[in-house]
Amino acid sequence: MGHLCLLVVMLAFLNGYCCLGCWEQERIALLQIKGDINFPNGASLQRWVDNETANCCDWEEIECSVDTGRVIQISLNATREYLRSGDWYFNASLFLPFKELKTLHLPENSLVGWVENEGFERLSMLMNLQVVDLTLNHFNINILSRLSGLPSLKYLSLFGNNLKGSTHFNSSERLSRLNNLEVLDLGWNHLNGSVLSFLNLNDLISLKELDLTLNNLQSFEPIQGLETLASRLSNLEILHLSHNWFDNSTLSFGGGLSSLKSLDLSYNKLKGTVDMRELDALTNLEVLDLSFNEIDSLVTPKDTKILKKLKVLYLDGIEKISRNLVQSLGAFSSLKTLYLKSNAFEGTITAEDLGSLPNLEALFLDGSSLNNNFLQSIGVLASLKNLSMVDCELNHTLPTLDWDNLLNLETLILDASSLNNNFLQSVGVLTSLKILSMANCEFNGSLPTQGKIPLELGNLSDIHALNLSHNNLTGTIPVTLSKLKQVESLDLSYNNLNGRIPTQLIELNALAVFSVAHNNLSGALPERKSQFGTFEETSYEGNPLLCGPPLNKSCTKNGATSPMRNVSNGEVEEDGFVDMDAFYITFVVSYISVLLGIAIVLYINPYFRQGWFYFIEVYITSR
Ligand SMILES: *[C@@H]1O[C@H](CO)[C@@H](O)[C@H](O)[C@H]1NC(C)=O
Ligand SMILES: *[C@@H]1O[C@H](CO)[C@@H](O)[C@H](O)[C@H]1NC(C)=O
Ligand SMILES: *[C@@H]1O[C@H](CO)[C@@H](O)[C@H](O)[C@H]1NC(C)=O
Ligand SMILES: *[C@@H]1O[C@H](CO)[C@@H](O)[C@H](O)[C@H]1NC(C)=O
Ligand SMILES: *[C@@H]1O[C@H](CO)[C@@H](O)[C@H](O)[C@H]1NC(C)=O
Ligand SMILES: *[C@@H]1O[C@H](CO)[C@@H](O)[C@H](O)[C@H]1NC(C)=O
Ligand SMILES: *[C@@H]1O[C@H](CO)[C@@H](O)[C@H](O)[C@H]1NC(C)=O
Ligand SMILES: *[C@@H]1O[C@H](CO)[C@@H](O)[C@H](O)[C@H]1NC(C)=O
Ligand SMILES: *[C@@H]1O[C@H](CO)[C@@H](O)[C@H](O)[C@H]1NC(C)=O
Ligand SMILES: *[C@@H]1O[C@H](CO)[C@@H](O)[C@H](O)[C@H]1NC(C)=O
Ligand SMILES: *[C@@H]1O[C@H](CO)[C@@H](O)[C@H](O)[C@H]1NC(C)=O
Ligand SMILES: *[C@@H]1O[C@H](CO)[C@@H](O)[C@H](O)[C@H]1NC(C)=O
């Protein structure tokens, strides 16, 4: 009985002392840190005030363990005001009370060094410490030995410090005894090949990712008796070397880096013909980034093993993509994702040139200027699921593209590209399309009830997301949109649509995202039921004449309503085209010339109704 009482008393004590709030010694230690940071007006960390009843786990930049109530994360990002407080010297004693600390973020704090005998080496007493982020401070090379020997450290960032290359190599300045370190970021430190002397690679046995972005590295050649970088990093999986000075276009890593999966060599000085034959040693490489180099062509003999394994290749910003370069891509027979953003395609590229990429699933051409030949040749990529052509210059006199083979295409993003009616017609054959985004495409014109010259756009029965925002669409919202039963996201915002929002849209049971904001719509909103019960004011804002909940404006009296145009109930026969029995949607979109408009009509063909096939038709009308 006595024991039980004691236990109850102890539990009550523990509760009161630690686990309901934060631990008393941790609260005090946090206040000491705040004092050490020493900002004159206390501009930040406002909740860190001396109050015995305060729960420091609720303070900003602190995270506590739910189980023990102890502090596990401290994030003092850019907390110290340099102009007022000057350089800061790290004091390890301030952090030792946090026995369960896992993550310590100290970026941008003007840290230049440490108080004598209070360096980072003392943090080795914190057995849970996994993340130390010292990004954008002013530490020099001497920090490395201090950071050695932290037993549980997994992630260390010294990005944007002042490590620099050092000619006199002093082994006691090495980063060592970090057996659990997995990620090391040494980016933007003016490092040259001497970086090797900083790392005791034998001790960094768990290192998987090394970031050397924004340094002065120039080659993988051995430097002054030191091993090559590559030969010592046999467990490394990810290597970032972008924004350096690599200029030897024969890519070679001296037989090392055999575990490497991802290599980033973007923004270097590779020029002309890049020879990839020696990359064969990288037997596990899956991702290669050669973007923003001045590459004319690649030497990619078909018998090289590595090229057959690569899954993702980045060639953004090469500027001029020649037929030669496109042909050399044929060697990457396993390629699934290809980035060719911000390029200009030159010469006559044929379907055969691209034909040896049978597994390609995603192609990114954003910001590129695409010629007709290249656009035609895309049609050969039968496995393609994603095609992104944001902000592309397309030829206005583009013929209809032969894209019948793209039977797997699910996502087509065309935002901010200039499109003509032929192009829309080419999109029409893409029956598997789920996401179609044509925001900001400079469509002018209306979505009226009917047009004159039907042009097939497509079977968009599977469409899940349709984005026509930021165009100049006018007219009313077609009732028939309510037949897009699969649609989850419908964005018609930033157009000039008028009239009422058809109440039939309530039938769209899958609709999760809906916006008609910034149009000229008027009248009562659809009833707040089913999915329409979930849409808030933001879906409707920027339409002064709309009324009813969730808007503040009620619909009583003159009812701000304008008579809704009756948008057909089928039975329209179009120039001997298909009988649009069930419904159709018309989008008339006027095109460059003021005289022309394109209208898109979407309807169900009765013959295909079981399969919910829809057609969109493009109409050209003269105004
Ligand atoms: C201390 O904190 C408690 C609870 O948060 C609060 O009610 C009280 O006013 C605070 N005292 C002072 C002096 O700030
Ligand atoms: C700042 O702290 C947050 C945690 O709140 C962290 O996720 C983030 O990466 C830090 N920012 C920088 C620039 O280090
Ligand atoms: C370092 O922090 C400890 C613990 O708060 C403190 O006692 C000591 O005075 C600090 N040292 C310096 C030089 O500020
Ligand atoms: C590397 O950098 C150091 C210091 O910045 C410099 O003294 C040395 O000459 C550089 N070495 C090479 C090979 O550029
Ligand atoms: C090497 O570094 C240690 C510790 O920083 C220092 O005591 C020693 O004098 C240095 N040796 C040379 C040759 O610079
Ligand atoms: C470029 O690298 C290759 C392969 O490592 C080497 O044989 C050649 O000498 C290097 N060229 C220059 C100019 O350093
Ligand atoms: C644009 O297309 C027309 C007709 O196909 C063609 O004559 C012209 O060369 C193309 N221009 C470009 C830049 O591809
Ligand atoms: C392809 O598109 C889908 C849907 O937008 C997206 O979730 C996926 O990440 C894309 N795949 C690639 C490789 O970008
Ligand atoms: C719609 O799909 C059907 C069946 O797949 C096909 O016969 C028809 O040609 C397609 N229509 C368009 C416009 O692609
Ligand atoms: C539609 O596209 C615009 C422009 O790219 C974008 O801002 C908006 O978020 C998109 N809408 C949805 C629902 O994704
Ligand atoms: C069409 O949109 C552009 C930019 O989005 C705008 O500058 C222009 O005034 C619009 N034209 C019409 C007729 O609304
Ligand atoms: C749409 O109208 C704007 C302004 O009148 C014009 O600059 C733009 O070229 C037109 N776009 C198309 C595709 O017709």
Side-chain angles (χ1 to χ4, degrees):
M1 199 60 188
H3 290 288
L4 190 61
C5 270
L6 187 62
L7 189 65
V8 170
V9 169
M10 274 178 64
L11 282 176
F13 174 75
L14 277 175
N15 255 352
Y17 185 70
C18 71
C19 303
L20 276 184
C22 65
W23 290 49
E24 178 67 4
Q25 70 265 41
E26 298 195 335
R27 189 180 67 82
I28 291 169
L30 287 173
L31 290 171
Q32 280 172 349
I33 290 174
K34 182 172 172 172
D36 200 57
I37 290 172
N38 181 34
F39 21 45
N41 328 328
S44 32
L45 305 184
Q46 302 222 350
R47 266 181 278 156
W48 295 33
V49 291
D50 195 1
N51 180 342
E52 278 172 31
T53 58
N55 178 1
C56 69
C57 291
D58 294 337
W59 290 357
E60 62 268 43
E61 325 300 356
I62 297 300
E63 196 183 313
C64 291
S65 154
V66 247
D67 298 331
T68 63
R70 301 204 63 147
V71 171
I72 52 172
Q73 175 166 325
I74 301 176
S75 303
L76 297 171
N77 297 19
T79 308
R80 185 164 170 100
E81 292 175 33
Y82 177 72
L83 287 178
R84 294 197 175 136
S85 319
D87 294 340
W88 190 24
Y89 291 84
F90 182 76
N91 182 346
S93 281
L94 294 168
F95 295 88
L96 295 181
F98 307 102
K99 294 272 183 277
E100 289 183 22
L101 192 66
K102 259 194 191 158
T103 303
L104 180 57
H105 288 286
L106 292 170
E108 288 185 79
N109 278 308
S110 314
L111 279 161
V112 290
W114 45 89
V115 174
E116 202 172 343
N117 298 324
E118 297 284 1
F120 288 88
E121 68 280 5
R122 294 200 59 198
L123 299 184
S124 63
M125 290 157 79
L126 301 178
M127 302 307 287
N128 293 315
L129 192 62
Q130 294 184 358
V131 174
V132 171
D133 178 3
L134 300 173
T135 298
L136 294 169
N137 282 292
H138 307 295
F139 288 113
N140 64 23
I141 189 74
N142 295 323
I143 182 111
L144 293 178
S145 57
R146 302 305 179 118
L147 286 165
S148 297
L150 302 183
S152 44
L153 201 64
K154 287 191 174 159
Y155 174 97
L156 174 60
S157 174
L158 283 163
F159 178 92
N161 277 272
N162 199 18
L163 302 183
K164 289 211 172 115
S166 163
T167 36
H168 352 276
F169 156 61
N170 185 338
S171 65
S172 57
E173 286 166 357
R174 279 188 163 198
L175 192 64
S176 58
R177 293 176 293 120
L178 291 172
N179 295 333
N180 289 303
L181 193 68
E182 290 174 6
V183 181
L184 176 58
D185 190 344
L186 296 175
W188 198 20
N189 270 293
H190 307 285
L191 296 170
N192 55 30
S194 58
V195 61
L196 287 165
S197 56
F198 304 163
L199 311 177
N200 191 345
L201 295 167
N202 291 333
D203 284 2
L204 305 182
I205 49 173
S206 302
L207 198 63
K208 297 243 168 352
E209 180 169 354
L210 177 59
D211 197 332
L212 290 166
T213 300
L214 273 165
N215 280 298
N216 299 333
L217 294 156
Q218 200 186 344
S219 79
F220 295 108
E221 300 302 298
I223 297 161
Q224 305 249 318
L226 292 165
E227 324 82 352
T228 66
L229 177 62
S231 65
R232 303 300 304 276
L233 291 167
S234 51
N235 295 319
L236 201 69
E237 292 179 3
I238 304 176
L239 181 56
H240 303 272
L241 293 170
S242 76
H243 295 275
N244 276 283
W245 299 84
F246 285 93
D247 59 359
N248 187 337
S249 294
T250 301
L251 295 179
S252 168
F253 296 86
L257 296 174
S258 54
S259 302
L260 206 65
K261 288 186 176 155
S262 171
L263 174 61
D264 184 355
L265 274 168
S266 60
Y267 294 96
N268 275 278
K269 303 289 164 201
L270 303 176
K271 272 201 180 69
T273 302
V274 171
D275 189 340
M276 319 227 351
R277 277 174 293 191
E278 297 202 25
L279 286 187
D280 231 17
L282 309 186
T283 48
N284 291 298
L285 198 68
E286 290 179 358
V287 182
L288 177 61
D289 192 342
L290 295 174
S291 301
F292 296 95
N293 284 284
E294 286 175 42
I295 298 175
D296 297 333
S297 60
L298 301 172
V299 178
T300 57
K302 294 235 190 251
D303 56 348
T304 32
K305 290 183 282 252
I306 151 85
L307 306 176
K308 294 204 181 103
K309 283 194 158 179
L310 207 68
K311 295 207 163 57
V312 184
L313 178 63
Y314 291 82
L315 286 170
D316 298 335
I318 301 295
E319 292 184 3
K320 288 177 187 157
I321 301 277
S322 62
R323 180 175 188 198
N324 211 336
L325 185 53
V326 172
Q327 282 171 334
S328 63
L329 299 179
F332 301 97
S333 51
S334 303
L335 210 61
K336 287 205 150 69
T337 306
L338 177 59
Y339 288 84
L340 289 168
K341 297 183 186 181
S342 307
N343 286 306
F345 287 78
E346 293 187 331
T348 311
I349 294 162
T350 67
E352 269 164 30
D353 296 336
L354 270 182
S356 33
L357 293 174
N359 298 306
L360 200 68
E361 291 180 2
L363 179 59
F364 294 85
L365 297 164
D366 308 349
S368 282
S369 142
L370 307 168
N371 66 21
N372 297 359
N373 291 311
F374 185 76
L375 282 165
Q376 283 294 2
S377 66
I378 289 174
V380 81
L381 300 171
S383 303
L384 210 58
K385 286 186 178 156
N386 294 25
L387 177 57
S388 184
M389 307 204 301
V390 175
D391 199 9
C392 282
E393 258 178 62
L394 304 177
N395 189 344
H396 275 288
T397 51
L398 198 63
T400 310
L401 296 166
D402 183 11
W403 279 8
D404 304 26
N405 274 335
L406 300 184
L407 292 175
N408 293 300
L409 199 67
E410 293 181 354
T411 304
L412 179 59
I413 312 292
L414 298 164
D415 299 349
S417 285
S418 47
L419 307 177
N420 68 13
N421 59 312
N422 285 335
F423 190 85
L424 292 178
Q425 207 182 349
S426 314
V427 170
V429 301
L430 304 172
T431 55
S432 50
L433 218 52
K434 291 202 161 90
I435 298 175
L436 174 58
S437 192
M438 305 197 292
N440 256 309
C441 288
E442 290 179 25
F443 287 139
N444 302 321
S446 57
L447 300 169
T449 54
Q450 59 195 77
K452 291 223 168 107
I453 307 157
L455 275 170
E456 226 170 15
L457 185 64
N459 282 329
L460 298 182
S461 58
D462 260 346
I463 211 85
H464 284 54
L466 184 62
N467 191 342
L468 289 168
S469 68
H470 297 272
N471 287 297
N472 281 342
L473 297 171
T474 55
T476 58
I477 299 176
V479 173
T480 43
L481 274 181
S482 65
K483 303 295 181 188
L484 295 175
K485 295 294 182 206
Q486 311 267 18
V487 85
E488 290 163 15
S489 170
L490 180 59
D491 191 344
L492 298 171
S493 62
Y494 294 93
N495 282 293
N496 290 317
L497 299 168
N498 58 33
R500 297 182 66 158
I501 299 170
T503 52
Q504 289 88 334
L505 294 187
I506 290 177
E507 292 160 26
L508 297 174
N509 289 322
L511 201 61
V513 178
F514 175 71
S515 180
V516 290
H518 301 280
N519 279 288
N520 284 326
L521 298 165
S522 55
L525 296 184
E527 232 181 305
R528 273 178 82 68
K529 61 183 195 189
S530 62
Q531 287 311 98
F532 275 76
T534 65
F535 305 138
E536 300 300 332
E537 257 184 279
T538 47
S539 294
Y540 308 108
E541 67 191 6
N543 291 284
L545 300 177
L546 282 177
C547 60
L551 300 175
N552 279 334
K553 201 169 158 191
S554 78
C555 291
T556 49
K557 289 197 179 164
N558 317 326
T561 53
S562 67
M564 194 178 107
R565 261 194 264 169
N566 191 4
V567 187
S568 119
N569 35 26
E571 282 146 39
V572 181
E573 193 98 25
E574 286 295 339
D575 301 343
F577 201 68
V578 200
D579 177 18
M580 293 180 280
D581 167 57
F583 77 95
Y584 60 87
I585 295 167
T586 341
F587 302 14
V588 171
V589 179
S590 82
Y591 189 65
I592 306 173
S593 129
V594 197
L595 295 171
L596 285 180
I598 303 165
I600 305 162
V601 175
L602 176 63
Y603 65 92
I604 292 183
N605 180 326
Y607 301 110
F608 293 121
R609 202 176 310 150
Q610 262 99 339
W612 286 106
F613 288 117
Y614 303 100
F615 292 73
I616 285 185
E617 297 192 341
V618 179
Y619 282 57
I620 297 179
T621 52
S622 26
R623 289 206 298 208

